[in-house]
Amino acid sequence: MNQRPARRPAPRPPEGTPAPAELARMARSGLAGAARVALWADTALGPGSDGATADGKATLSEASAERASGDLGLTVAQIRADWDTARLAGLVEVHGDSARPGWRLRAWDRDDSAVLRGWVALFDAWSLAHPEPAEFEAAAVAEVVSAMPQVLSFLQLSAGPVPVEQLLDLLRQRVTELRTERCEVPYETEAGIGAGGGSAVPAVTVPAARTDLAERAPADDPAPAEDAELAPLLDWSLHALASVGALTYGVGQATLTPLGSWAVWVKLEQICVAAQSPAGNIEVAAEEMLRGCAQLRPNAARAEYRAWLAARPVGRAVAELVAAARGEDALLRGLAFEALRVVGAPAEPDVHAVVDEPTLRPYALLWLAEHDGADPEDAHEVLTREEATWLWVDTAAAVADHGEAPMLVRHLESALQPTVPALLDEVRAVGHPRTVQVLVALAAAHPDPALAKAVRRAAFQVHTGG
């Protein structure tokens, strides 16, 4: 548990990719308008400011947009466009009818990784940043949005301008593949499902009056994607990606920008990480994943966390991990915060939000201290004596439930209190719901009869309210 995280060598981006600092400079430049509006809203509309709204919420009402227009010298349309970009990039977080500055805005000037994460969030939301025209059918738009990652991967591999006609051909092929994947294959076949390949499934035959599958197949095949319907959708997609700074588009060709090429490479790396799950827990919920990691060594567990996180949106992943930490299993609580350490900065708002929950407070304070740069060996100094004792009991509960007796005895040595009587006094006072079970387990495990008797007596006193 005290093993320090090993540094995993980061994969190198393709040759010619600008350094992270230069990429962050590009992202700051592209998001300058969004950051300016978000900072203005934080100052002018935040609760407690002179310009706060009547309900104390930083909402961008019509009056707020007009005020921002006057203060910043921009049109109302520009203000609203920059506000929408700020939301998509995580510079502003909207909760219901209220908004608050996102963690990326707080770190905007000092943290290049926060800036790049914000730009990638905008890149992921390109279809929202530049909505499709109303005349496009929703189903066709969804197909093209689903097919664009393959188009972007081709652009990234090409490392230069690509004719739009070539992209249209690739898009048509991918959309046709998506339609084919959705096509249901009839179960009844004359040869039978189990007729070939050594399958153990018994063959299913078709009555003679039925039309043969081969004769019906052409009618059941999905219609191939047509250039006439895809060309305007590709044009919209490329314009939308250009609007967020992912590519340049014009004169019948498209080229990824350095930021766009880097972002596509990052996405491909995430897919590779997700495919390397050592324990196969990618598809399961957070609680089951954490249970699967309980028996892994620390480095293997962190690899599993990375694979699990790479396979789902970070916001949903963090919410699942926090929910797992709120459960009754103390071991999962500790593992959930280890997984949140792998998440890093994007988890900060959610960790801050649970600081006032007694069950999670010590874990959250340690996480925040380490996130702010404290050495993991010294981070415990942010805890009060009572919080540290509560954490000791919670960790002991995890050992009692999932570990062996010698581990529980060794855990006794990690207590802050200099003597066992002092530890027992503070453990009784801290009020952890598992105190009795922990003390009973410790008394049963400890080889010293006198100490075991004192611990049993303390457990009885807690049980009877003494």
Side-chain angles (χ1 to χ4, degrees), residues 24 38 46 55 65 200 207 213-214 231 277 306-307 311 373-374:
D55 59 1
L213 177 62
S277 166
R306 282 190 291 268

Side-chain angles (χ1 to χ4, degrees), residues 355-366 379-395 416-417 426 430 432:
V355 164
D356 293 330
E357 298 183 27
T359 305
L360 304 183
R361 179 176 175 80
Y363 294 95
L365 291 175
L366 290 176
H380 68 275
E381 296 176 1
V382 303
L383 302 180
T384 65
R385 183 70 165 241
E386 182 179 5
E387 290 164 350
T389 302
W390 195 100
L391 182 60
W392 184 90
V393 178
D394 204 52
T395 308
L416 295 176
Q417 292 75 8
E426 294 189 32
V430 81
H432 193 288

